[in-house]
Amino acid sequence: MERLNRGLVAVSQGRNRVFVSWRLLGTDPDGVAFNLYRIVGGAAPVRVNAAPLTEATSTSDSIYVSAPVAYLVRGVVNGVELAPSERYTLRRETPYLSLRLRTPDGYTPNDGTVGDLDGDGAYELVVHQVGRGRDNSQKGVTTNPILEAYRLDGTFLWRIDLGKNIREGAHYTQFIVYDLDGDGRAEVACKTADGTVDGVGKVIGDANADFRNGDGYVLAGPEYLTIFDGRTGAALATTNFIPPRHPTSLAPTADQIKAIWGDGYGNRVDRFLAGVAYLDGVHPSLIMTRGYYTRAVLTAWDWRGGKLSRRWTFDSDSGPESNRAYRGQGNHQLAVADVDGDGRDEIVFGAATIDDDGRGLYSTGLGHGDALHVSDLDPDRPGLEVFDIQERFDDAGANFRDARTGEVLWKKASVKAGEDGEGPGRGNSFDVDPRTRGAESWVAGAGLHGIWSAKGALISEKQPTAVNFGVWWDGDLLRELLDKNVVYKWNWTAERMDTLFVATGAASNNGTKSTPVLSGDILGDWREEVILRVADDPRELRIYTTTIPTRYRFTTLMHDPVYRLGIAWQNVAYNQPPHVSYYLGDGMAAPPRPRIFVPGPR
């Protein structure tokens, strides 16, 4: 996994108070303590704490000077200080980090993700710039999808223009940022086409090719998969995308596409997902998929020693007859976790799961859904659980299963009401109520009301109206709710949402899904940051971090493999919040120490 620095961050709280927070790393020795130092102007560092800090990796400081103030932190082991961390200079003017962008005219920053692109231990941000997009079911010409990379201080690194032959929309461009070869620097991977321009200006394929039809769909021409250098955006390797639209034709007819994918106008054939999985338990592999309403194909790729190779392909419509059970089981997202405890990751593909060797592990047959949560949702059961929903009216509108076997532990029937024609559209599963053990679950729509415990018992007739994202924000172990630009706390006694934080002037993305650019533990202690665009300025992002004290001390969530891979796939299609591999909630046991190793220093 990544060799991270301390992720030190300091935020002004007004009235001469500063909140300072840093990472506990998965590679830190047991019992490490910390000393925090303040640097005023050019003076020598002065220790803030009287005795080494042994609990939370955050604290408050009082400052009464107008000179520039910076901080650093040093670990302490057996009374001996370790090397100092990076310095962080306090930004007094705002309670957030502002990141200026070079957003092209007519575009708006949309989904983003992070990776250590240059190997210095700090995260950089890759953001998808969106102009005019279209859903797969909608006609119309779109703008070119654009990816841009920035350091968190706003330094621009590169721009990749995917070109006119990649259609813009939530289901088309799934980009992955991850250190795929273990050299300490993250690569960028995504589907490309003729006319894609990499970060150094090199064109992939035919720069003049235009395969858009009269309805704006791209249903002809070659399709590629490209690995880009995270430092420069330069294309490192390009190969044919697997699977193609048609096995033999680069310009298939509508009838040929329909025979394979279920319709001929581009709705089902161009539904893509992506992720990263440790299929051998040690090295990350890239996962690229196509289709989920009917045929579903998943391909695993390895990027090793400057070469891109295919590890395996799973196809619901070929191979053993048992593969047919995996047709139509995918969601608008996927998740990755070691569900069977063998040390190697599986791909939770909606209502089905693919084993690390590219064979089907199980299919529940419950069908397509719009939301997916995978974690130790019920700590009283061994292993992990999956909370999923069906996007149709059936007996499993909300369903909770064993992640290893696919056994449905409980389910709730959805009921058609009025003109609602799809069933439940989204659902959450977090620990928001300390009165029941484990995660509580709820959904939106389809006649399903209330909150269920991890055992499936109805514990409240009311439910949070926020059914989009979760965020660990305040100081306790319960998860808060993130919706639009607001963080809410579920008040379980009054059965209402209480507002904890409002990001004034910021806005969410993706319509009613109201999702952030990114939410995750990218700075400071184990609590999560929220990245949002500015409502009236497409050239600014804001990174918000909590300033609420906590007494809990956990390893950075980014050194938990399930969580880190969740950040990698968060931007894919219908964004979902990340989960950890263990139960993080009220009444939790001490989390296991990460069993990871990191690349050596460059």
Side-chain angles (χ1 to χ4, degrees):
M1 300 193 73
E2 292 156 316
R3 176 179 290 275
L4 297 174
N5 64 16
R6 289 291 171 196
L8 190 67
V9 62
V11 180
S12 175
Q13 296 178 280
R15 295 185 179 181
N16 302 314
R17 296 290 291 175
V18 178
F19 188 80
V20 188
S21 179
W22 60 93
R23 294 185 181 113
L24 176 67
L25 300 172
T27 52
D28 277 330
D30 291 337
V32 63
F34 293 95
N35 286 331
L36 179 67
Y37 289 86
R38 179 197 317 120
I39 305 103
V40 177
V46 175
R47 196 169 77 181
V48 172
N49 48 291
L53 302 168
T54 58
E55 292 188 350
T57 56
S58 56
T59 191
S60 292
D61 183 30
S62 298
I63 57 172
Y64 301 94
V65 297
S66 57
V69 174
Y71 293 91
L72 64 83
V73 69
R74 300 179 73 134
V76 182
V77 178
N78 296 325
V80 178
E81 283 195 328
L82 306 180
S85 73
E86 71 285 0
R87 294 189 180 194
Y88 184 89
T89 300
L90 175 67
R91 308 178 189 187
R92 297 173 186 260
E93 64 277 6
T94 60
Y96 51 79
L97 283 66
S98 175
L99 197 158
R100 297 298 302 177
L101 306 179
R102 296 189 185 182
T103 306
D105 291 342
Y107 281 71
T108 301
N110 196 264
D111 298 336
T113 192
V114 292
D116 184 2
L117 301 181
D118 54 15
D120 66 352
Y123 282 125
E124 284 75 43
L125 176 70
V126 178
V127 62
H128 181 181
Q129 300 279 14
V130 172
R132 180 180 61 256
R134 289 287 185 272
D135 187 81
N136 297 55
S137 62
Q138 300 172 346
K139 300 178 181 179
V141 174
T142 73
T143 50
N144 298 1
I146 289 174
L147 302 177
E148 291 182 338
Y150 296 86
R151 292 194 175 96
L152 295 190
D153 64 2
T155 301
F156 175 81
L157 298 178
W158 48 255
R159 173 183 293 166
I160 296 170
D161 186 333
L162 294 178
K164 63 176 73 72
N165 293 310
I166 297 290
R167 204 167 188 241
E168 178 62 85
H171 302 292
Y172 296 101
T173 299
Q174 317 305 351
F175 65 100
I176 292 296
V177 179
Y178 208 83
D179 181 6
L180 295 171
D181 59 3
D183 70 349
R185 298 187 297 259
E187 289 76 37
V188 181
C190 67
K191 184 173 179 284
T192 57
D194 282 353
T196 293
V197 181
D198 73 5
V200 295
K202 183 180 178 181
V203 179
I204 295 173
D206 182 354
N208 298 315
D210 187 348
F211 295 107
R212 295 172 295 183
N213 65 21
D215 291 330
Y217 288 95
V218 182
L219 298 175
E223 301 174 280
Y224 309 123
L225 171 66
T226 299
I227 305 293
F228 297 94
D229 189 318
R231 295 167 295 178
T232 65
L236 298 175
T238 296
T239 190
N240 291 329
F241 189 88
I242 296 175
R245 304 179 188 96
H246 188 274
T248 60
S249 176
L250 288 179
T253 66
D255 287 342
Q256 287 176 315
I257 293 176
K258 183 177 181 179
I260 298 173
W261 299 99
D263 66 54
Y265 70 97
N267 186 23
R268 287 169 171 79
V269 65
D270 278 356
R271 299 276 178 164
F272 300 99
L273 301 175
V276 176
Y278 289 83
L279 299 174
D280 64 0
V282 178
H283 308 95
S285 296
L286 174 68
I287 309 296
M288 302 296 287
T289 87
R290 185 174 214 155
Y292 40 74
Y293 287 137
T294 52
R295 182 191 183 195
V297 183
L298 295 81
T299 302
W301 299 89
D302 290 340
W303 174 246
R304 309 274 192 270
K307 294 183 179 180
L308 184 62
S309 61
R310 180 161 60 108
R311 189 179 187 90
W312 51 251
T313 296
F314 174 88
D315 190 340
S316 66
D317 286 21
S318 68
E321 183 62 30
S322 59
N323 283 10
R324 307 304 178 271
Y326 294 78
R327 284 178 56 89
Q329 301 303 305
N331 276 23
H332 291 300
Q333 64 281 134
L334 52 72
V336 177
D338 175 13
V339 304
D340 56 10
D342 65 357
R344 300 182 294 273
D345 284 336
E346 284 71 45
I347 298 93
V348 182
F349 196 68
T353 295
I354 309 302
D355 210 346
D356 55 82
D357 59 3
R359 295 185 291 183
L361 185 64
Y362 64 80
S363 175
T364 65
L366 295 177
H368 166 76
D370 276 15
L372 185 69
H373 299 268
V374 181
S375 184
D376 189 2
L377 302 174
D378 183 352
D380 294 331
R381 296 187 72 260
L384 307 180
E385 292 79 34
V386 178
F387 180 70
D388 195 8
I389 62 175
Q390 285 178 281
E391 195 184 9
R392 70 175 190 272
F393 300 101
D394 210 325
D395 68 339
N399 55 89
F400 194 91
R401 74 178 191 256
D402 184 296
R404 180 179 64 87
T405 66
E407 176 191 0
V408 177
L409 303 172
W410 54 263
K411 56 185 178 179
K412 308 294 178 181
S414 53
V415 181
K416 189 169 184 177
E419 298 301 316
D420 186 0
E422 289 192 334
R426 57 200 71 172
N428 275 344
S429 191
F430 315 126
D431 185 21
V432 296
D433 188 334
R435 297 175 299 181
T436 66
R437 184 164 162 80
E440 289 76 39
S441 305
W442 66 100
V443 302
L448 288 163
H449 302 289
I451 303 176
W452 305 289
S453 72
K455 304 299 185 185
L458 183 68
I459 62 173
S460 174
E461 294 284 350
K462 294 183 179 180
Q463 66 187 57
T465 56
V467 198
N468 287 321
F469 248 65
V471 58
W472 280 292
W473 187 262
D474 67 7
D476 65 23
L477 298 176
L478 302 175
R479 207 165 191 185
E480 286 65 59
L481 307 176
L482 173 62
D483 194 62
K484 298 183 174 67
N485 63 332
V486 184
V487 175
Y488 297 99
K489 185 78 170 179
W490 176 244
N491 184 326
W492 58 88
T493 55
E495 297 184 319
R496 67 167 188 257
M497 297 192 309
D498 294 338
T499 300
L500 285 186
F501 173 76
V502 179
T504 304
S508 57
N509 293 327
N510 303 315
T512 60
K513 294 175 179 61
S514 304
T515 50
V517 172
L518 180 71
S519 181
D521 180 19
I522 64 171
L523 292 168
D525 65 20
W526 60 275
R527 271 89 58 84
E528 295 174 293
E529 283 65 49
V530 178
I531 305 179
L532 295 166
R533 63 184 175 91
V534 174
D536 59 359
D537 186 355
R539 291 181 171 84
E540 183 183 0
L541 296 180
R542 292 176 182 172
I543 304 175
Y544 297 90
T545 186
T546 186
T547 58
I548 300 174
T550 183
R551 63 185 180 90
Y552 296 102
R553 164 175 155 145
F554 298 132
T555 298
T556 174
L557 304 188
M558 296 297 258
H559 272 171
D560 178 77
V562 170
Y563 186 91
R564 181 63 187 91
L565 299 180
I567 295 296
W569 55 246
Q570 183 182 134
N571 70 83
V572 169
Y574 290 177
N575 307 23
Q576 296 284 275
H579 288 271
V580 291
S581 63
Y582 52 89
Y583 172 60
L584 202 170
D586 189 72
M588 67 181 289
R593 289 285 292 164
R595 297 176 61 191
I596 62 172
F597 64 90
V598 299
R602 298 199 60 79

